[in-house]
Amino acid sequence: MKLEFSPLMRSWLFAILTVITVGYLVAAWFMTKSAAANRMCQGVLITVHDTSEIHFVTPQELSAELGDLPSRALDTRLADIDIDSIERMFNLFDKIERVNVNILTSGKLLIDVWPMRPVARIFDSAGQSYYINRAGKRIAAEPGYFLDVPVVKGDFSPTFPATSLIPLIDYIEADPDWRDAISMIEARSSGDIILVPVIRGHVINMGDTTNFADKFRRLKLMYSKVMSSKGWDFYKEISLKWRGQVVGVRRNARSQGPEYLLDEQNEEESTVSTAELDEGAPITVSAEKPIPAVATRKKTEAPDSAATSKENKKPRPASDKTNESKKQKTT
């Protein structure tokens, strides 16, 4: 005999089975949780995910920070272990960047630790030296280890943190040529960020931390068109602050201000103009764009004697020449 259910009965049957299944799962979860809470800890595992050559932290060092927990773990219920407090404690260490604590199905306590990954070494205006990671977390620069990371010097504040230079650091580190060419970054202010090249003789003012690709392209153009012939120490500072321009200050100039302008029209075509800034000499500049921060001095007018000399050189009218010829024939 075959049983047939109406659509309404099938709906009710499906709902009843769903409720029974959910109830079973909830009951099983509570039973499992209760059983797990009463389980005894089977030990402590500490894993340090460190791929660097310099080991900031070791499992033995972290085990010591846990106090007597590793030794009494086998006599401790899993429910009595405060996982959150262990994570907070480890996160306070400057050498640790991230930590996760979990209980394995085997009953062991697993502590996963990721050591600090510095991106720069900072020398601040207070004379302190430390490493920072991408989040700005500091780790003291101890004599026991040294990391080959970019060096940054500056006076930083909450409104101008050292982490604001990380995009510039990333750009330099991503380019092998610039990475080998730059030895240090000096942040005088948020609008005057200085690059110190490995080749001594000049510094590079990047301005702020924007338009890196364009600024480094202009710097490469300046190196290839100008510095290669004039020398690396001819200019004491090369500024990339102004869009489309490269401004240089000559090392031996007696006046303050930019001495050289590279006004870039495009990568293939550029106009180069020189402005002499020696005292007493006129400034002669020929460029479509003005040199920033240069006070334009008017050319001195020619003396009266020079004007008289020019007037004497003007051609005389034809009538004057005719009268002079007649006088010569009469004589």
Side-chain angles (χ1 to χ4, degrees):
M1 180 178 179
K2 185 176 181 182
L3 295 177
E4 294 185 2
F5 297 97
S6 65
L8 180 60
M9 293 181 62
R10 284 198 296 268
S11 299
W12 277 104
L13 182 60
F14 178 77
I16 293 172
L17 292 175
T18 302
V19 171
I20 293 174
T21 303
V22 172
Y24 172 79
L25 292 176
V26 171
W29 180 79
F30 276 108
M31 293 177 61
T32 303
K33 183 178 180 181
S34 177
N38 293 321
R39 290 181 61 189
M40 304 300 290
C41 181
Q42 301 300 310
V44 179
L45 298 177
I46 301 177
T47 303
V48 178
H49 302 269
D50 192 356
T51 58
S52 64
E53 296 180 359
I54 299 175
H55 300 290
F56 286 117
V57 291
T58 62
Q60 293 76 16
E61 182 181 358
L62 296 177
S63 178
E65 297 295 337
L66 290 173
D68 61 348
L69 178 60
S71 60
R72 62 180 177 84
L74 297 178
D75 299 326
T76 304
R77 291 192 315 157
L78 292 175
D80 296 333
I81 299 176
D82 190 347
I83 293 177
D84 293 336
S85 65
I86 295 176
E87 289 186 350
R88 287 194 298 269
M89 178 187 67
F90 280 127
N91 279 321
L92 293 176
F93 296 160
D94 61 352
K95 295 180 180 181
I96 295 177
E97 186 164 305
R98 183 164 59 93
V99 58
N100 286 332
V101 181
N102 296 288
I103 296 177
L104 300 177
T105 56
S106 61
K108 292 185 177 181
L109 185 69
L110 175 63
I111 302 176
D112 283 312
V113 175
W114 286 263
M116 175 83 157
R117 293 185 179 182
V119 296
R121 181 169 183 177
I122 308 297
F123 291 87
D124 61 21
S125 57
Q128 296 181 343
S129 175
Y130 49 87
Y131 296 98
I132 63 169
N133 67 353
R134 292 188 174 277
K137 188 175 182 179
R138 299 182 181 184
I139 177 174
E142 298 177 359
Y145 52 81
F146 170 78
L147 292 178
D148 186 15
V149 293
V151 176
V152 178
K153 178 182 177 183
D155 185 10
F156 300 103
S157 65
T159 58
F160 179 47
T163 51
S164 62
L165 299 180
I166 291 180
L168 175 60
I169 293 173
D170 289 342
Y171 188 92
I172 294 174
E173 290 296 300
D175 190 312
D177 294 333
W178 292 123
R179 184 177 63 242
D180 296 337
I182 304 301
S183 65
M184 187 179 72
I185 301 174
E186 180 181 356
R188 297 175 183 172
S189 68
S190 59
D192 285 289
I193 298 172
I194 309 300
L195 304 184
V196 180
V198 175
I199 301 177
R200 301 296 179 179
H202 67 280
V203 296
I204 305 158
N205 192 331
M206 294 290 292
D208 56 19
T209 56
T210 60
N211 302 321
F212 298 137
D214 177 66
K215 289 177 180 178
F216 278 103
R217 182 170 55 85
R218 281 184 275 140
L219 178 60
K220 186 174 291 186
L221 188 63
M222 181 72 172
Y223 278 170
S224 62
K225 287 183 173 291
V226 180
M227 304 292 283
S228 58
S229 59
K230 287 185 175 291
W232 299 104
D233 59 350
F234 188 82
Y235 300 103
K236 63 181 180 181
E237 182 174 314
I238 297 172
S239 178
L240 307 170
K241 296 175 67 171
W242 294 278
R243 188 178 184 86
Q245 297 179 347
V246 181
V247 178
V249 179
R250 197 172 66 181
R251 179 172 301 281
N252 298 322
R254 287 176 290 176
S255 299
Q256 297 296 324
E259 186 272 346
Y260 194 86
L261 167 69
L262 188 149
D263 184 9
E264 183 199 8
Q265 306 301 320
N266 52 55
E267 191 169 355
E268 294 79 18
E269 220 175 286
S270 63
T271 60
V272 177
S273 304
T274 302
E276 298 294 339
L277 295 187
D278 294 338
E279 290 293 336
I283 293 182
T284 303
V285 179
S286 59
E288 293 182 5
K289 299 180 182 179
I291 300 178
V294 173
T296 305
R297 295 187 292 183
K298 295 182 179 180
K299 296 181 180 179
T300 56
E301 295 184 0
D304 295 340
S305 57
T308 305
S309 175
K310 290 182 179 179
E311 185 68 26
N312 292 336
K313 293 181 180 180
K314 291 182 179 179
R316 291 179 294 175
S319 57
D320 294 342
K321 292 182 180 181
T322 305
N323 293 335
E324 184 177 350
S325 176
K326 287 182 180 180
K327 288 179 183 179
Q328 289 178 357
K329 288 181 180 181
T330 304
T331 55

